[in-house]
């Protein structure tokens, strides 16, 4: 009896010291001019349902003991398949009338990362980014080289028309007509969002990922912040995971995702304070957008400086919440 009690106490103490980490997941579907007066009840419902579907997919993976990388990839793939978001099948059009997609992913435990940019035939850019991280010696592959690599490792390929959503195409035609020129200032374009996810798994590891169709009417092979490690995506178990959305040129110039991590590591800021500080920097420089960030204790930050940001989370208590507008907390 004494031996049994001793063993029980040892196991109890072990579980307290080495038990599972809390799990949490946070997602965004882009930031921009998102206001109630521009949203029908049906469309708002569709956005909220798709964000919740993505969150539940990723959270289910975390609950079953899956890795944060698995959760991030699966969550983003749900959003890549939805024409509601500027990623995958909902990608906006370039000035030339094509769809060019970017994505990145990062492992907070190892600081390994992978990215693809300017791809037109890879069905799931986030899956390709992870393949670059795990199955190549590189961090970023672009264009035809990225597509050749994707074929070589057996990823699903599609024809470019797979990404042609009719609603997005009509937006492109209107933008083209309105501009009366080859390009259009960012300020004149209806903003639709990049997607991203950050997850914390039972092992206490963070991962972050981002996927996008880029900027409407972009030209000359333009690449934004989404596939750039340190700008649109970063994860470090020592601080937090970050995925960004917004005017990519500003996020690149300020190395937004890494700056948030650095403020936590070197100045001891909380994830909320660090994320808000960096978004304030973006605004002062003239850019707009937002970030989602998650630390190893499951604390969540989602600051943005636009009228809205499609966003949601499942916290460490299992509570799920989806938000769109700037007055939702």
């Amino acid at each position: 009896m004494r031996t049994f009690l001793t063993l029980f106490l040892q196991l109890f103490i072990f579980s307290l010291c080495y038990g599972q980490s809390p799990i949490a997941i946070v997602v965004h579907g882009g930031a921009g001019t998102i206001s109630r007066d521009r949203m029908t009840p049906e469309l708002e419902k569709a956005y909220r349902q798709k964000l919740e579907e993505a969150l539940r997919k990723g959270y289910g993976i975390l609950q079953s003991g899956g890795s944060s990388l698995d959760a991030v990839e699966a969550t983003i793939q749900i959003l890549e398949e939805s024409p509601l978001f500027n990623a995958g099948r909902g990608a906006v059009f370039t000035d030339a009338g094509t769809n060019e997609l970017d994505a990145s992913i990062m492992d907070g435990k190892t600081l390994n990362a992978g990215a693809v940019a300017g791809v037109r035939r890879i069905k799931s850019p986030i899956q390709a980014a992870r393949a670059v991280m795990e199955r190549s010696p590189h961090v970023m592959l672009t264009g035809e080289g990225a597509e050749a690599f994707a074929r070589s490792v057996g990823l699903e390929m599609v024809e470019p028309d797979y990404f042609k959503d009719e609603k997005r195409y009509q937006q492109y035609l209107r933008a083209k007509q309105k501009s009366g020129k080859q390009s259009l200032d960012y300020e004149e374009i209806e903003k639709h969002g990049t997607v991203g996810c950050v997850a914390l798994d039972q092992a206490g590891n963070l991962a972050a990922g981002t996927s996008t169709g880029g900027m409407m009417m972009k030209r000359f092979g333009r690449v934004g912040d989404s596939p750039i490690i340190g700008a649109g995506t970063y994860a470090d178990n020592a601080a937090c995971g970050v995925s960004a959305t917004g005017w990519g040129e500003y996020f690149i110039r300020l190395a937004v995702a890494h700056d948030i991590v650095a403020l936590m590591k070197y100045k001891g800021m909380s994830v909320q304070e660090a994320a808000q500080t960096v978004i304030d920097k973006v605004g002062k420089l003239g850019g707009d957008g937002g970030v989602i960030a998650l630390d190893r204790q499951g604390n969540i930050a989602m600051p943005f400086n636009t009228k809205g940001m499609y966003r949601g989370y499942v916290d460490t208590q299992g509570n799920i919440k989806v938000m769109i507008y700037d007055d939702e907390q």
Side-chain angles (χ1 to χ4, degrees):
M1 183 68 174
R2 184 174 297 175
T3 302
F4 174 78
L5 289 173
T6 300
L7 179 61
F8 176 81
L9 287 171
Q10 289 174 338
L11 289 171
F12 178 72
I13 293 170
F14 180 85
S15 68
L16 288 177
C17 296
Y18 303 100
Q20 296 175 346
S21 166
I23 60 172
I25 188 166
V26 57
V27 68
H28 73 74
T33 33
I34 306 164
S35 57
R36 286 184 173 85
D37 61 353
R38 299 179 64 182
M39 186 85 69
T40 66
E42 295 77 17
L43 187 57
E44 178 177 328
K45 182 179 179 181
Y47 275 112
R48 292 184 187 275
Q49 286 180 338
K50 187 56 65 173
L51 288 168
E52 183 171 336
E53 178 189 345
L55 282 167
R56 291 190 183 279
K57 178 68 173 181
Y59 189 71
I61 290 170
L62 298 174
Q63 278 185 308
S64 64
S67 72
S68 52
L69 284 167
D70 288 344
V72 166
E73 180 182 354
T75 298
I76 290 177
Q77 284 180 311
I78 294 288
L79 301 177
E80 286 180 338
E81 284 293 307
S82 172
L84 291 171
F85 303 98
N86 178 17
R89 302 191 77 173
V92 297
F93 285 77
T94 70
D95 179 71
T98 60
N99 305 111
E100 295 180 1
L101 304 108
D102 312 322
S104 63
I105 195 166
M106 187 165 184
D107 181 352
K109 179 181 179 180
T110 64
L111 303 188
N112 288 335
V116 295
V119 299
R120 298 181 58 196
R121 294 174 174 83
I122 301 173
K123 183 178 181 181
S124 173
I126 193 64
Q127 184 183 42
R130 186 172 179 183
V132 171
M133 177 179 73
E134 296 180 339
R135 305 172 69 177
S136 88
H138 307 299
V139 171
M140 181 185 288
L141 297 177
T142 66
E144 293 181 359
E147 291 172 1
F149 167 76
R151 289 190 191 94
S152 75
V153 296
L155 300 189
E156 186 172 357
M157 309 299 289
V158 294
E159 291 301 314
D161 282 351
Y162 173 84
F163 300 108
K164 184 179 179 180
D165 175 69
E166 185 59 29
K167 182 179 178 181
R168 289 283 194 234
Y169 186 64
Q170 292 303 317
Q171 289 171 351
Y172 159 73
L173 293 178
R174 289 195 298 272
K176 193 85 169 175
Q177 183 178 28
K178 180 181 177 182
S179 68
K181 53 187 177 182
Q182 287 187 316
S183 65
L184 193 66
D185 292 338
Y186 185 83
E187 292 288 347
E188 297 175 283
I189 300 167
E190 187 178 1
K191 302 169 189 176
H192 296 280
T194 297
V195 305
C197 179
V198 185
L200 172 66
D201 64 28
Q202 291 181 10
N205 295 318
L206 292 161
T210 311
S211 183
T212 189
M215 182 188 292
M216 175 77 86
M217 299 286 285
K218 62 185 179 182
R219 301 178 68 194
F220 308 128
R222 179 263 186 186
V223 175
D225 64 302
S226 296
I228 297 177
I229 301 302
T233 302
Y234 206 80
D236 185 342
N237 280 2
C240 69
V242 180
S243 175
T245 174
W247 195 340
E249 279 69 13
Y250 289 88
F251 283 70
I252 294 170
R253 290 162 60 189
L254 289 170
V256 162
H258 184 269
D259 199 22
I260 292 169
V261 168
L263 288 174
M264 292 183 66
K265 290 175 70 174
Y266 307 133
K267 295 196 73 171
M269 289 187 181
S270 69
V271 66
Q272 178 62 46
E273 185 181 9
Q276 187 63 61
T277 296
V278 176
I279 288 302
D280 289 345
K281 288 183 184 180
V282 172
K284 288 177 183 177
L285 200 63
D288 60 6
V291 298
I292 53 172
L294 174 66
D295 70 17
R296 209 172 181 185
Q297 288 71 50
N299 298 306
I300 295 167
M302 298 183 291
F304 55 97
N305 63 7
T306 55
K307 290 184 179 180
M309 182 168 78
Y310 301 109
R311 63 202 188 278
Y313 62 77
V314 183
D315 64 19
T316 57
Q317 305 303 310
N319 301 309
I320 185 168
K321 188 167 186 179
V322 171
M323 294 160 282
I324 297 177
Y325 308 111
D326 58 359
D327 59 359
E328 292 182 275
Q329 302 296 326

